[in-house]
Amino acid sequence: MNSEPNHNFSNLLKTPKEFDIKINVGEKPHINEFKAHSIILSARSDYFKVALSSRWVRKEEGFIIFDKPNISPPVFEIIINYIYTGTYSNNDEVSLLDIFIAADEIGLFEISQQVEKRLSETESAWKFPKDFITICKFLNGMEFYEKILKTCPSAEVQESVSSLDFSHYSCGTVEINEISKALCKNTTLTSLNLSNIQLGTINATLYLVFFFKQSGVNALADALCKNSVLTTLNLSSNKLGSEEENHYNNLGSEGGKAFADALCKNSTLNDLSLTCNNLGSEAGKAIADALCKNSTLIFLNLRCNNLGSEGGKALADALCNNSTLTILNLENNNLGSGGKAIADALCKNTTLSSLNLNINWIGTEGGKALADALCKNPTLKVLNLNRNSIGSEEGKALADALCKNSALTSLDLGENKLVSDEAKALAGALCKNSTLEDLNIECNNLGSEGGNALADTLCKNFTLTSLNLDDNDIGSEGGKALAGALCKNTTLTILDLSSNKLGSEGGKALADALCKNFTLTSLNLYDNDLGSEGGKALAGALCKNSTLTSLNLSSNKLGSEGGKAIADALCKNTTLRNLHLYYNFLELGSKEIKALSDALSDALCRNSTLTFLDLGYNNIGSEGVKSLAYALYKNSTLTSLVLDGNQIMSEGGEALGNALCKNSMLTTLNLHSNGIGLKGGKALANALCKNSTLTTLNLHSNLIGIKGGKALADALCKNSTLTSLNLQRNILGSEGGKALADALCKTSR
């Protein structure tokens, strides 16, 4: 392995006319060009054989141009030297792990084996790159993983391999069985994420599905029976099992039973997530039985599993016996009458601290039973009852329970059937309750009377920190009352009043309150018809307020005057970080839009705190975006910018592309539905070749076309930071799609 390098390698490459390929290796500013012969590369490596045979391969002046940004030049020099000479040599300055990954990708298994031997023999061979967990996915077999742990006892190695994330990974039977074998022997791995696992083949047959269910799921369950260190396991939305019939989605009933059996034997697991696995009532019963025997599990997530009333009742019985579980998520399980059984169990259970029963339609009986349970249960702190058909009787019962309960800190009653009377009852309870911090009553038609009642309570309550009153038809009078309460309240930090028909008068009242309030940090006023007057009033408040960090004014018909006032306020405000102005400047002329855009541009040049700005669907146009693009040259804080639906066209796309070449702060840019076309697409592609900070780019519905798609594909080979790119509905065609697919094969992301 340590033989001297073959210096004849350079002699093989003396005559330029013999070369037919130039390989650009590395990332800017450290890119090296390697000249080689495609016939030799293809003969020695299946990777190059496939990559260079594509008719989409790029050529310039008779040479094939090939980019490898995910491999460093020193590593590639070792690789290319081996391809030409058949010998492998490495100095200690190059990471063996980097060589291992590069050799594995290119299919040079002789090098992989030699590196594996070296790494498993001595700890000094390790360079500890930051992406160790990702590297583990490339390791051939988990037995090598075990060898590493035994020969490298340092804390750095142990910590790196204590958690593995294989989510959204395409696993075959070999990988699943290797992982299972490792779990049987492993003494270090404490956290394993296998959520959204895909079958190892795109065209999976029912035979493969059955095999996976029997071999993969059962193997993992058996491993849990033997493993003694794993504490966290995520199997959400899993495709390892089957539904017994014609679908290959989820663990299903049999898979659920297998893991239930494992819970009876395992003594270390404390966090298990099985969401969206179609477990059904039978598997629910099996898991319930396991909870009666298991003494370590503290967190169990069974969301979206169609457990039904029978599964709910079985889990209720388990809660009467189990003494370790503290967090249970049963959201969207069609529990029905099972909800009442769980409520009755809470009267006996003394360990559960968080219970999520969202979307279970527990109705009147379930609601009353839960109210009774809250009067007796001393441990539950978080209760979610969103969308459960809770009406008048049970709403009042829950309010009465809050007068007696001294443990609950968070209650979600959103999207039920509560009206003003229940709001008054809850308001009265909040005057007596001294523990509740978070209350969600969104979408309940409380009306102005309910708003007034809750406003009075805020003047007296000293524990509530978050209140959600979204979509309750509170009106301007209710808004004014709440504004008055904000002048006196000293604890509320989050208030959501979206979709409440507050109008300009309600907006003005809240603006006055913001000048006096010193605790509110987040205010949501989405869709309240505030108008330009309300917008100007709130802008004035922003010049004086020193605590608000998040403000949502989307869909409020602010117009150019209100928008400009907000923009001017940003030049003075020093605390706001998130600002939503989506859908506010409809049907404006070009002069108004230009004035508004210039004001926003000036604000971005001068503001030093704003990190998120949403200007979606404001008809800003290409000229307006040019002003904003100019601001991006100077702004040093904005990390996320939303400009969807603004008709910026190709000129706006080009302006933003030029700005991204110089901006070094923006990480997220949303340009959905802007008609930027080919020119704009190419400009943004060019920017991606130079920009080193953007991680998310949304170009959905922009008519970029085939050539634009190819330009973006080429950019992906050079860009090293982008992790999310949305190109839906862009008429890329098969050519553009193939170019992008080829680019993704070359990148390491």
Side-chain angles (χ1 to χ4, degrees):
M1 187 174 97
N2 293 316
S3 59
E4 289 296 319
N6 189 326
H7 296 292
N8 291 328
F9 168 64
S10 58
N11 294 328
L12 290 171
L13 307 178
K14 275 184 177 179
T15 313
K17 66 181 181 180
E18 295 181 2
F19 305 134
D20 65 343
I21 181 171
K22 296 179 181 180
I23 306 175
N24 299 315
V25 179
E27 299 176 333
K28 291 183 180 181
H30 306 295
I31 295 179
N32 285 13
E33 182 184 89
F34 289 81
K35 298 176 180 178
H37 307 77
S38 62
I39 190 171
I40 294 177
L41 297 182
S42 297
R44 295 279 285 153
S45 163
D46 288 340
Y47 168 85
F48 280 117
K49 183 178 180 179
V50 173
L52 299 180
S53 65
S54 169
R55 67 187 182 119
W56 306 112
V57 72
R58 182 162 60 99
K59 288 188 177 182
E60 292 180 6
E61 298 179 353
F63 287 97
I64 296 173
I65 306 300
F66 196 82
D67 298 320
K68 285 300 295 176
N70 62 319
I71 297 180
S72 69
V75 170
F76 192 78
E77 185 171 356
I78 293 170
I79 296 296
I80 197 75
N81 188 67
Y82 177 81
I83 288 175
Y84 272 85
T85 67
T87 60
Y88 163 66
S89 177
N90 176 46
N91 57 47
D92 291 335
E93 294 181 2
V94 180
S95 166
L96 285 175
L97 275 175
D98 290 341
I99 297 172
F100 181 92
I101 292 174
D104 185 82
E105 177 185 349
I106 295 174
L108 304 177
F109 301 113
E110 298 89 344
I111 293 183
S112 299
Q113 290 171 355
Q114 292 184 55
V115 172
E116 178 178 326
K117 185 173 184 295
R118 175 80 184 279
L119 287 171
S120 63
E121 287 176 345
T122 173
E123 183 177 350
S124 63
W126 292 86
K127 298 291 183 181
F128 304 117
K130 293 180 180 179
D131 56 346
F132 184 89
I133 293 175
T134 302
I135 291 169
C136 284
K137 294 182 181 180
F138 290 90
L139 304 184
N140 292 329
M142 297 294 282
E143 290 184 5
F144 176 36
Y145 170 91
E146 286 292 323
K147 290 179 183 177
I148 294 171
L149 298 181
K150 292 178 180 178
T151 57
C152 304
S154 73
E156 191 168 6
V157 173
Q158 301 295 322
E159 182 179 354
S160 296
V161 296
S162 65
S163 176
L164 285 180
D165 185 349
F166 287 91
S167 59
H168 298 89
Y169 190 53
S170 180
C171 283
T173 53
V174 174
E175 288 88 349
I176 291 297
N177 287 326
E178 287 293 342
I179 291 171
S180 300
K181 289 178 184 178
L183 287 177
C184 294
K185 301 181 291 182
N186 181 271
T187 57
T188 307
L189 191 67
T190 59
S191 177
L192 178 60
N193 187 348
L194 294 175
S195 62
N196 292 281
I197 289 294
Q198 307 294 314
L199 292 176
T201 173
I202 295 176
N203 298 312
T205 64
L206 290 179
Y207 171 78
L208 281 175
V209 171
F210 177 78
F211 186 79
F212 263 82
K213 184 180 76 169
Q214 297 300 316
S215 179
V217 174
N218 288 343
L220 284 170
D222 290 342
L224 281 182
C225 298
K226 302 172 184 178
N227 181 278
S228 58
V229 290
L230 199 70
T231 60
T232 301
L233 177 60
N234 188 344
L235 289 169
S236 300
S237 303
N238 217 286
K239 294 187 178 179
L240 293 177
S242 76
E243 295 183 15
E244 289 85 32
E245 294 183 0
N246 298 323
H247 306 287
Y248 36 90
N249 296 308
N250 322 120
L251 298 177
S253 176
E254 294 305 312
K257 289 178 183 178
F259 282 103
D261 182 59
L263 285 179
C264 296
K265 301 172 184 178
N266 180 281
S267 59
T268 55
L269 202 67
N270 57 44
D271 185 338
L272 177 61
S273 180
L274 295 173
T275 68
C276 303
N277 269 298
N278 197 33
L279 300 181
S281 60
E282 292 304 311
K285 290 178 183 179
I287 290 172
D289 289 340
L291 288 179
C292 296
K293 302 171 185 177
N294 181 282
S295 59
T296 54
L297 206 64
I298 61 174
F299 175 86
L300 179 59
N301 191 341
L302 296 174
R303 180 176 65 86
C304 299
N305 270 296
N306 196 29
L307 300 179
S309 60
E310 294 305 311
K313 290 175 183 177
L315 286 166
D317 290 338
L319 289 178
C320 295
N321 298 308
N322 181 281
S323 60
T324 54
L325 203 66
T326 61
I327 300 174
L328 178 59
N329 187 345
L330 295 175
E331 178 181 344
N332 197 9
N333 269 293
N334 195 29
L335 298 181
S337 59
K340 182 181 183 302
I342 288 174
D344 292 338
L346 289 178
C347 297
K348 302 174 184 178
N349 181 282
T350 57
T351 54
L352 206 65
S353 62
S354 177
L355 177 60
N356 188 341
L357 293 175
N358 286 0
I359 319 175
N360 272 295
W361 316 112
I362 63 174
T364 302
E365 294 304 312
K368 287 182 179 179
L370 282 167
D372 183 55
L374 288 180
C375 295
K376 302 172 183 178
N377 183 284
T379 56
L380 200 66
K381 294 183 178 180
V382 178
L383 178 59
N384 294 337
L385 296 174
N386 198 293
R387 289 173 66 180
N388 270 292
S389 299
I390 293 174
S392 176
E393 291 184 42
E394 52 272 35
K396 291 178 181 177
L398 285 166
D400 290 339
L402 287 179
C403 297
K404 303 171 184 177
N405 181 281
S406 59
L408 206 66
T409 60
S410 177
L411 178 60
D412 186 346
L413 292 172
E415 297 190 58
N416 281 293
K417 299 179 180 179
L418 308 179
V419 292
S420 59
D421 286 344
E422 289 75 69
K424 292 176 182 177
L426 284 168
L430 289 177
C431 292
K432 301 175 182 178
N433 181 283
S434 59
T435 55
L436 201 67
E437 299 173 358
D438 180 2
L439 178 60
N440 181 2
I441 330 176
E442 64 178 340
C443 306
N444 269 295
N445 196 30
L446 302 183
S448 59
E449 288 187 36
N452 287 335
L454 288 166
D456 289 340
T457 294
L458 289 179
C459 298
K460 303 170 185 177
N461 179 281
F462 298 102
T463 54
L464 207 64
T465 60
S466 177
L467 178 60
N468 187 347
L469 295 174
D470 171 27
D471 194 8
N472 269 292
D473 199 20
I474 289 173
S476 61
E477 293 305 312
K480 290 178 184 178
L482 286 165
L486 288 180
C487 296
K488 302 175 182 179
N489 182 280
T490 58
T491 55
L492 203 67
T493 59
I494 300 173
L495 178 60
D496 189 340
L497 293 174
S498 53
S499 302
N500 268 297
K501 303 177 183 177
L502 301 181
S504 60
E505 293 304 311
K508 289 178 182 178
L510 286 166
D512 290 338
L514 288 179
C515 297
K516 303 171 184 177
N517 180 282
F518 298 102
T519 54
L520 205 67
T521 60
S522 176
L523 178 60
N524 189 347
L525 296 176
Y526 168 85
D527 186 24
N528 269 294
D529 198 20
L530 301 179
S532 61
E533 294 304 312
K536 286 190 278 188
L538 286 163
L542 288 179
C543 296
K544 301 175 182 179
N545 181 280
S546 60
T547 54
L548 206 65
T549 59
S550 179
L551 178 60
N552 190 340
L553 295 176
S554 295
S555 192
N556 268 295
K557 302 178 183 177
L558 300 183
S560 61
E561 290 186 29
K564 187 176 181 303
I566 295 289
D568 292 339
L570 289 179
C571 297
K572 303 174 183 178
N573 181 280
T574 58
T575 55
L576 204 64
R577 295 180 182 177
N578 301 302
L579 178 59
H580 301 255
L581 294 174
Y582 173 91
Y583 199 58
N584 264 301
F585 314 117
L586 300 179
E587 300 177 2
L588 300 179
S590 58
K591 292 183 179 179
E592 290 88 350
I593 285 292
K594 184 66 167 62
L596 173 62
S597 298
D598 288 345
L600 285 168
S601 176
D602 184 47
L604 289 179
C605 291
R606 298 165 64 179
N607 182 280
S608 60
T609 55
L610 202 67
T611 60
F612 175 93
L613 178 59
D614 184 351
L615 294 173
Y617 285 88
N618 278 297
N619 196 28
I620 291 174
S622 58
E623 292 303 314
V625 164
K626 287 180 183 179
S627 295
L628 292 174
Y630 171 76
L632 290 178
Y633 289 127
K634 299 184 177 182
N635 182 276
S636 60
T637 57
L638 201 68
T639 59
S640 184
L641 178 60
V642 180
L643 291 172
D644 57 323
N646 270 298
Q647 303 179 49
I648 69 173
M649 312 310 285
S650 60
E651 289 185 40
E654 289 178 290
L656 286 170
N658 293 332
L660 287 177
C661 292
K662 299 179 181 180
N663 181 280
S664 60
M665 287 300 297
L666 210 63
T667 60
T668 300
L669 178 60
N670 186 345
L671 296 177
H672 187 302
S673 303
N674 267 296
I676 64 172
L678 172 60
K679 289 185 179 180
K682 283 187 174 180
L684 289 166
N686 178 58
L688 289 179
C689 296
K690 302 173 183 178
N691 182 282
S692 59
T693 55
L694 203 68
T695 60
T696 300
L697 177 59
N698 188 345
L699 294 176
H700 189 299
S701 303
N702 269 292
L703 305 174
I704 290 173
I706 296 172
K707 292 183 179 179
K710 287 183 178 180
L712 286 165
D714 183 56
L716 287 179
C717 296
K718 301 173 183 178
N719 180 280
S720 60
T721 56
L722 202 69
T723 58
S724 176
L725 176 61
N726 189 338
L727 290 173
Q728 293 182 57
R729 297 188 178 181
N730 270 293
I731 319 176
L732 300 179
S734 59
E735 291 184 36
K738 288 178 181 178
L740 286 163
D742 289 341
L744 291 176
C745 291
K746 298 175 185 178
T747 63
S748 59
R749 297 187 297 282

